[in-house]
Amino acid sequence: MTTKETIGKYRWTICALLFFATTVNYLDRQVLSLLAPDLSKEFGWTNTDYANITAVFQFAYAISMLFAGRFIDKLGTKKGFTWAIVIWSLAAIMHAYAIEIGGMFQGIFATINLVIPVSILGFMMSRAVLAFGEAGNFPAAIKATAEYFPKKERSFATGIFNSGANVGAILAPLTVPWIALHWGWQMAFILVGAIGFIWVIFWWFFYDKPEKQKRLSKAELAYINSDTDEAVAASEKVEKVKWFKLLGYKQTWAFAFGKFMTDGVWWFFLFWLPKYLEAQYGMVKTDIMLPLAILYSMTMFGSIGGGWFPTYFIKKGYNAYDGRMKAMFIIALFPLLVLLAQPLGYISFWIPVILIGIGASAHQAWSANIFTTVSDMFPKKAIGSVVGIGGMAGGLGGVLISKVGGALFDHYKALGHIQTGYTIMFAVCAVAYLIAWFVMKSLVPKYKPITDL
């Protein structure tokens, strides 16, 4: 019998559940962006209108992330994750009734002299509720990973479940345009939104805290806790850390700045690529299915490979954090290729698709590692809260990049040069990771775990 067989592998069942939850998360999140070209024509949205709708999601996500981690820490991983996915699944379905919802609330906004078109208001409200629910995914998933995996396996496990974002991004363009074409855009929101309720059934059946998990062997439980020293283990029994105390640590600010600089890049690709392919190459409806599916298929390699990459340096003697930061610097170089997307885009639309795919793949590799820096340095009781703070920062970064992008695209579209707007935004996306890395490295130059919480 091998060592792995002796230890057991139930922890990977939990990782699979986290993977599927993240897949559903990104399926629900991406439906609007895939339908945006058609919805923009149907309801007369400008790029700024669409940017405002996406910005509401990002802003609500940012604020919700601030409290989602605390919510997960307080309620527990099992119940907290359940509430999150139920809320966001209901919100995904709400989009199908956005016109009715907008009509119900338009009068209320009018009383405060805020006149918003019905379609825009309805989608804004639906996106806000979606963001509120989806904010719980990553704090819960990171906390579950910290509960079920030793530190040396966490970045790999994170890379695996984080690749669910890529699978969701792949499945969405392969299904949503087809559903909308044959059954209408409302049904696309309804069918995709309903998937989350199926996941909840499996989550309640298979998940429990490791010390209460009957399917987990004693050997595997000991392996999970193998790199948790007695002082840290004892600290887990102490009363939950106060939120403001976390802001006193440079480690918190390093994670938050890294998320602020880079989360918006991923969301820009996710929310704006369908409109980019339409504006630049006239691609609409099912035309975008194959290019986007291939682009997001590339990101699978980044997510899983990026999660594995730090182990190369760890095996050479680096501690987990220093090995991770070394890997993240190399990863941060790859998005620079996005600078070539527009200059070479005249050859074929496949050139920017592949180059942006490399950039998006690098983001997923980066994401798998930046999340894990939190569990490297903070005790388990604070992980959800710190991830929430970073998520808020990432959401605010997303609001900024979406609003700037929408304004740029409308400005240059009026001048007949919308391509210039995309050139500027791609340049911002390309350099964001290097800036983030240098600031993070300056704040936390060496591994320094938090032991006084």
Side-chain angles (χ1 to χ4, degrees), residues 10-19 144 148 203 206-207 213:
Y10 187 77
R11 63 194 183 281
W12 297 107
T13 300
I14 301 302
C15 186
L17 286 170
L18 303 178
F19 166 85
Y148 268 88
W203 178 248
F206 286 107
Y207 182 87
Q213 180 58 261

Side-chain angles (χ1 to χ4, degrees), residues 22-357:
T22 307
T23 299
V24 174
N25 185 284
Y26 272 79
L27 268 171
D28 290 336
R29 188 179 302 195
Q30 201 181 359
V31 176
L32 177 63
S33 65
L34 292 165
L35 300 178
D38 291 336
L39 293 176
S40 295
K41 292 177 181 177
E42 181 173 342
F43 299 118
W45 297 344
T46 63
N47 285 308
T48 299
D49 291 333
Y50 177 64
N52 288 337
I53 293 171
T54 60
V56 165
F57 173 89
Q58 292 160 325
F59 183 76
Y61 189 87
I63 301 302
S64 299
M65 280 294 283
L66 183 62
F67 301 102
R70 299 291 287 183
F71 178 78
I72 298 297
D73 283 341
K74 184 174 182 179
L75 198 60
T77 311
K78 186 171 186 175
K79 291 181 179 178
F81 215 156
T82 300
W83 274 108
I85 201 164
V86 167
I87 291 171
W88 93 54
S89 297
L90 288 171
I93 295 173
M94 276 178 60
H95 287 67
Y97 306 96
I99 307 305
E100 292 81 358
I101 293 171
M104 289 170 56
F105 289 92
Q106 190 180 44
I108 297 175
F109 283 89
T111 60
I112 56 174
N113 296 320
L114 186 60
V115 180
I116 305 175
V118 169
S119 64
I120 296 175
L121 178 60
F123 276 99
M124 281 181 170
M125 298 184 70
S126 300
R127 297 306 278 180
V129 180
L130 180 70
F132 176 70
E134 289 203 346
N137 183 77
F138 282 100
I142 295 297
K143 189 174 181 69
T145 301
E147 290 173 345
Y148 268 88
F149 289 87
K151 287 185 178 181
K152 60 186 176 182
E153 287 185 348
R154 286 179 193 168
S155 66
F156 185 50
T158 301
I160 290 175
F161 87 68
N162 192 49
S163 68
N166 312 321
V167 174
I170 293 165
L171 292 176
L174 291 176
T175 55
V176 171
W178 189 91
I179 294 172
L181 182 64
H182 291 84
W183 297 329
W185 63 265
Q186 293 93 339
M187 189 56 67
F189 285 110
I190 293 172
L191 291 179
V192 174
I195 298 173
F197 296 106
I198 300 174
W199 179 88
V200 170
I201 297 172
F202 288 92
W203 178 248
W204 271 85
F205 183 77
F206 286 107
Y207 182 87
D208 213 334
K209 295 185 70 173
E211 58 269 24
K212 297 180 180 179
Q213 180 58 261
K214 296 180 181 179
R215 301 178 181 88
L216 196 66
S217 69
K218 291 183 179 179
E220 188 170 7
L221 180 60
Y223 176 71
I224 290 169
N225 296 321
S226 61
D227 57 2
T228 303
D229 60 41
E230 294 180 3
V232 173
S235 73
E236 297 302 325
K237 300 177 182 179
V238 180
E239 185 179 347
K240 298 296 183 181
V241 63
K242 293 185 180 298
W243 182 81
F244 281 105
K245 188 173 183 180
L246 294 173
L247 297 178
Y249 295 97
K250 290 183 179 180
Q251 290 90 335
T252 303
W253 288 101
F255 176 67
F257 185 82
K259 294 287 285 180
F260 174 81
M261 288 298 300
T262 60
D263 272 17
V265 176
W266 173 252
W267 280 354
F268 175 74
F269 291 151
L270 197 71
F271 293 159
W272 288 93
L273 282 182
K275 290 182 74 68
Y276 165 70
L277 291 175
E278 180 198 31
Q280 187 89 1
Y281 300 101
M283 302 173 71
V284 295
K285 298 185 183 298
T286 54
D287 295 342
I288 63 175
M289 291 172 62
L290 183 60
L292 290 183
I294 290 177
L295 187 154
Y296 288 115
S297 294
M298 295 172 63
T299 63
M300 288 284 292
F301 296 97
S303 187
I304 297 176
W308 167 87
F309 192 24
T311 61
Y312 171 80
F313 297 105
I314 293 171
K315 288 179 180 178
K316 287 183 173 291
Y318 290 86
N319 63 54
Y321 175 77
D322 292 335
R324 215 175 308 288
M325 288 300 291
K326 197 170 187 69
M328 288 172 70
F329 174 74
I330 296 172
I331 290 167
L333 298 174
F334 282 91
L336 295 176
L337 291 173
V338 178
L339 291 168
L340 300 174
Q342 284 295 81
L344 300 181
Y346 72 93
I347 299 174
S348 168
F349 69 84
W350 283 111
I351 300 295
V353 165
I354 297 301
L355 292 176
I356 293 170

Side-chain angles (χ1 to χ4, degrees), residues 415-435:
L415 298 176
H417 299 289
I418 193 171
Q419 295 83 356
T420 303
Y422 281 103
T423 300
I424 295 172
M425 293 305 298
F426 288 161
V428 171
C429 294
V431 302
Y433 298 86
L434 280 176
I435 295 172

